[in-house]
């Protein structure tokens, strides 16, 4: 998505939901000094309020710059996770990841689709079990008598 389109969406969504997307200059500051995240694909990245993926895309762009093969691309994304409350943002994040993969001349394989669909989820961040990557199971209430 073009930066101008994101700016327009940011303005509209802010009026309705008070939501905001992390601007590129803030993303850059957040990730400054995190070179290991871009080169060591075993390092896990999780954005618990990923929105349309600005932070995730920044990290993946840097990681993909270190990828030489399709397998490298798969490894670069398999340790990147995000949760987002808004369904349309979640879907847009996934599509932006796919656009970025194509930009780096990698293929959107079934494996990559599966990783993206597993790792980027629409959920309430407070009802998500990050350790097991699933919804928190609600305890069953038992009668008090």
């Amino acid at each position: 998505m073009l930066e101008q389109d994101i700016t327009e969406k940011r303005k509209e969504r802010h009026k309705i939901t008070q939501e905001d997307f992390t601007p590129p200059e803030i993303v850059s500051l957040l990730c400054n000094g995190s070179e290991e995240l871009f080169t060591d694909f075993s390092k896990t990245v999780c954005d618990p309020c990923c929105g349309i993926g600005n932070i995730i895309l920044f990290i993946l762009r840097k990681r993909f710059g270190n990828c030489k093969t399709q397998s490298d691309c798969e490894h670069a994304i398999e340790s990147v996770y995000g949760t987002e409350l808004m369904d349309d943002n979640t879907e847009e994040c996934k599509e932006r990841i796919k656009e970025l993969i194509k930009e780096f001349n990698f293929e959107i394989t079934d494996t990559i689709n599966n990783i993206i669909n597993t790792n980027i989820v629409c959920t309430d961040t407070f009802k998500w079990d990050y350790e097991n990557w699933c919804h928190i199971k609600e305890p069953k209430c038992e009668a008090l008598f």
Side-chain angles (χ1 to χ4, degrees):
M1 174 177 260
L2 300 172
E3 185 59 35
Q4 182 178 351
D5 294 336
I6 292 172
T7 302
E8 289 305 312
K9 184 174 181 179
R10 181 181 298 134
K11 287 178 187 175
E12 287 304 309
R13 288 298 277 264
H14 189 75
K15 288 179 197 174
I16 298 165
T17 65
Q18 299 302 304
E19 107 186 86
D20 205 353
F21 303 121
T22 310
E25 57 275 9
I26 301 298
V27 173
S28 183
L29 285 171
L30 284 170
C31 296
N32 188 23
S34 302
E35 290 302 316
E36 198 173 1
L37 285 179
F38 313 136
T39 57
D40 183 352
F41 301 159
S42 69
K43 298 291 182 193
T44 300
V45 174
C46 182
D47 185 348
C49 301
C50 69
I52 58 172
N54 290 353
I55 295 171
I56 289 172
L57 270 283
F58 182 90
I59 292 166
L60 287 176
R61 180 175 296 283
K62 298 276 192 173
R63 282 186 171 195
F64 292 160
N66 293 307
C67 293
K68 294 178 178 36
T69 67
Q70 184 72 28
S71 179
D72 289 344
C73 176
E74 291 171 9
H75 291 303
I77 66 170
E78 64 189 1
S79 60
V80 176
Y81 298 85
T83 61
E84 168 57 31
L85 183 60
M86 306 294 280
D87 186 53
D88 63 328
N89 286 344
T90 305
E91 292 308 310
E92 188 171 337
C93 178
K94 291 176 183 182
E95 288 306 312
R96 290 179 73 210
I97 292 170
K98 291 175 188 177
E99 288 174 20
L100 185 65
I101 290 168
K102 290 182 208 172
E103 185 181 312
F104 277 84
N105 297 314
F106 296 113
E107 293 179 45
I108 308 299
T109 62
D110 289 341
T111 299
I112 285 184
N113 269 323
N114 187 44
I115 293 168
I116 292 170
N117 288 326
T118 300
N119 291 9
I120 308 298
V121 295
C122 182
T123 189
D124 181 337
T125 194
F126 296 109
K127 295 179 180 177
W128 192 254
D129 177 349
Y130 285 88
E131 187 174 341
N132 297 301
W133 203 248
C134 64
H135 289 282
I136 294 174
K137 295 177 182 36
E138 297 290 330
K140 293 186 179 182
C141 295
E142 295 185 23
L144 297 175
F145 355 88

